[in-house]
Amino acid sequence: MNVRKVLSITVLLAALVFLSVGAVSAQDSVTINWWTIFTTPPELTALAETVAQEFMDANPGVTIEITHLENEAFKERLATVMQAGDPPDLFQSWGGGVLWTYADAGLLRDITPELTADEAAWQNSFATQAALNLYSKDGVYYGVPLTFGAVGFWYNTRLFAEAGIESIPATWTEFLGVVETLKASGTIPIAVGGLDKWPGHFWWVYLAIREGGQAAFEAAYTREGTFADEAFVEAGNRLNELLALEPFQPDFNALGYGPAAGLMGNGEAAMELMGQWAPGVQQGNSTSGEGLPEGELGWFPFPLVEGGAGDATDVLGGGDGIAVGANAPDEAVEFLKYLTSPEVQIRFAELGTGFIPTVTEAESAITDPLLQDIVEARNNAAYYQLYYDQFLPPAVAQQVLDAVQGLFTATMSPEEAAQSIEDVASFELE
């Protein structure tokens, strides 16, 4: 092979790499501010920075400044800059009501033209349009999902076996029996980070879904019903059945999500009700940094509540996505397209941290049987509900968190908790 041919091939390969990372046209210096919650495990943080560097290398003049924030710190800091009318160019978003509120306030950029360009190539690349639609309002898109899954029970197979539990619980009654068996064996049945409130709200929302199904929530949301209706009160009663068994670790209301996940990662607790990202957080917060040994972690869906109107396949879930700030430059949208390209999504999935891709061409990268179970639950759900603390308007969402914590701390009755949510919803949802 002569030198000229080698140079030609080199130039061609360089051009292909340049195109694959979403190169944009020559421009003046541009800075993109990207706020993430990719703080753990470290591999996730590192890959986010790597792909940002790749984009900068391919686009001279573009600088991406990344701010990694822990979940609760992110929410507090974002609220501050939003109140000041100064959103980051790109930032973590779960979609739904919170994002819609920002859109109504003019704090987000409409990226519909980019999504629908080239016969909607970017829009159609997403595997689940339901996830994408959480980032739109009235047909206008303000962001896209990165990873999307389902909340369910992560459990320690060794602790289940040592307690003599031979099958996963299919009903609420069976689940309570499993909790009693685990407790009798000397194991902490469930880890929960009650201090952060949102992990606890998964319990009440899932029970409301099982008690009332899609119809109960839609009635309350559209004001044809209320959040004080029977399904939501019964959700509190069911939660109290569980709390009466003292299933959580000591001082669970004083422990945040990260340390609680560490109990699972250390093999000190048998179950955790959490989303698809749980294995990575358990690993990152474990004492060894390694998490549970291979084969010691299992997953099962939230059990059926006997007598409830909800379907056993109904799913509570969501995921991480990125919203685009109102003043974001075009280069920020190009970088977002790069983040949701199959090549980058596959690399995130291959980290083994629970990242479930949202674009069709990257789904083949899901080889973990547990994540495949979650994808099956997500794709086969008769009704898919985004977390209430993200779907509902901020004031209602906050009251849901506060009311459920009132149940966890035994300072509210099920009726009082449901009514307190309804009191706020009656103003915010009219």
Side-chain angles (χ1 to χ4, degrees):
M1 184 179 292
N2 59 40
V3 173
R4 178 178 294 178
K5 192 170 184 179
V6 170
L7 288 173
S8 296
I9 293 173
T10 302
V11 170
L12 176 60
L13 289 174
L16 289 173
V17 170
F18 185 77
L19 291 171
S20 71
V21 296
V24 296
S25 58
Q27 68 285 300
D28 296 331
S29 296
V30 171
T31 298
I32 301 169
N33 296 302
W34 178 24
W35 288 16
T36 87
I37 59 170
F38 294 160
T39 57
T40 187
E43 298 95 316
L44 189 62
T45 311
L47 182 54
E49 294 177 353
T50 296
V51 296
Q53 187 60 55
E54 290 170 352
F55 189 85
M56 288 189 287
D57 291 343
N59 295 280
V62 175
T63 299
I64 302 174
E65 296 182 347
I66 307 177
T67 302
H68 299 293
L69 294 164
E70 183 274 330
N71 187 64
E72 295 306 310
F74 163 79
K75 291 177 179 175
E76 291 180 11
R77 189 165 170 183
L78 184 68
T80 300
V81 297
M82 286 305 196
Q83 288 171 0
D86 185 25
D89 297 318
L90 300 173
F91 59 95
Q92 162 73 25
S93 172
W94 294 268
V98 174
L99 178 134
W100 299 341
T101 300
Y102 293 149
D104 289 342
L107 295 168
L108 302 180
R109 169 172 168 163
D110 175 5
I111 63 168
T112 311
E114 290 87 351
L115 265 172
T116 57
D118 301 325
E119 299 181 345
W122 188 19
Q123 182 180 24
N124 293 333
S125 70
F126 290 92
T128 167
Q129 292 299 303
L132 179 61
N133 289 340
L134 289 170
Y135 295 83
S136 72
K137 185 180 183 187
D138 300 329
V140 177
Y141 290 86
Y142 301 98
V144 295
L146 280 184
T147 175
F148 199 79
V151 173
F153 282 101
W154 297 90
Y155 74 103
N156 186 309
T157 58
R158 175 181 58 81
L159 294 177
F160 266 48
E162 289 176 357
I165 301 169
E166 298 179 348
S167 60
I168 59 174
T171 68
W172 183 246
T173 299
E174 291 177 4
F175 178 78
L176 296 179
V178 164
V179 169
E180 292 181 304
T181 300
L182 287 166
K183 192 161 185 178
S185 73
T187 296
I188 297 172
I190 307 168
V192 67
L195 181 64
D196 288 334
K197 296 185 181 179
W198 62 265
H201 111 291
F202 285 168
W203 287 92
W204 183 81
V205 175
Y206 239 133
L207 287 165
I209 291 172
R210 290 290 185 265
E211 284 287 351
Q214 183 174 4
F217 177 77
E218 288 189 348
Y221 187 73
T222 61
R223 301 287 78 199
E224 294 178 0
T226 78
F227 282 103
D229 289 347
E230 182 180 0
F232 302 101
V233 175
E234 282 304 303
N237 285 326
R238 296 291 190 178
L239 182 55
N240 275 350
E241 290 177 351
L242 176 66
L243 290 166
L245 301 180
E246 299 181 349
F248 303 116
Q249 77 276 8
D251 297 328
F252 59 90
N253 282 318
L255 201 65
Y257 166 53
L263 296 175
M264 281 291 296
N266 291 335
E268 298 176 78
M271 292 185 285
E272 181 185 26
L273 181 64
M274 192 49 61
Q276 64 275 8
W277 58 86
V281 182
Q282 292 169 5
Q283 175 189 339
N285 285 277
S286 64
T287 302
S288 66
E290 300 295 327
L292 293 177
E294 186 174 355
E296 210 166 281
L297 191 63
W299 186 89
F300 64 87
F302 199 94
L304 177 74
V305 173
E306 300 93 325
D311 191 277
T313 67
D314 292 345
V315 162
L316 171 70
D320 296 324
I322 295 181
V324 184
N327 300 317
D330 293 343
E331 289 80 0
V333 182
E334 287 299 320
F335 178 54
L336 185 55
K337 290 173 71 175
Y338 179 53
L339 286 172
T340 55
S341 65
E343 300 80 24
V344 172
Q345 289 252 299
I346 288 172
R347 290 162 66 189
F348 273 108
E350 289 177 343
L351 290 177
T353 59
F355 187 100
I356 297 178
T358 51
V359 298
T360 304
E361 290 186 45
E363 283 193 332
S364 60
I366 305 172
T367 57
D368 184 331
L370 300 180
L371 296 186
Q372 290 173 339
D373 287 345
I374 292 176
V375 171
E376 182 179 354
R378 179 194 73 182
N379 293 346
N380 295 326
Y383 161 48
Y384 191 98
Q385 173 63 55
L386 178 66
Y387 326 122
Y388 278 16
D389 68 338
Q390 295 302 317
F391 188 91
L392 294 168
V396 186
Q398 186 59 51
Q399 189 54 42
V400 170
L401 297 177
D402 293 342
V404 175
Q405 191 179 52
L407 293 169
F408 271 77
T409 56
T411 56
M412 277 187 170
S413 70
E415 292 80 4
E416 290 170 336
Q419 187 59 54
S420 73
I421 297 168
E422 175 56 24
D423 289 344
V424 179
S426 64
F427 288 103
E428 297 290 332
L429 295 178
E430 290 296 344

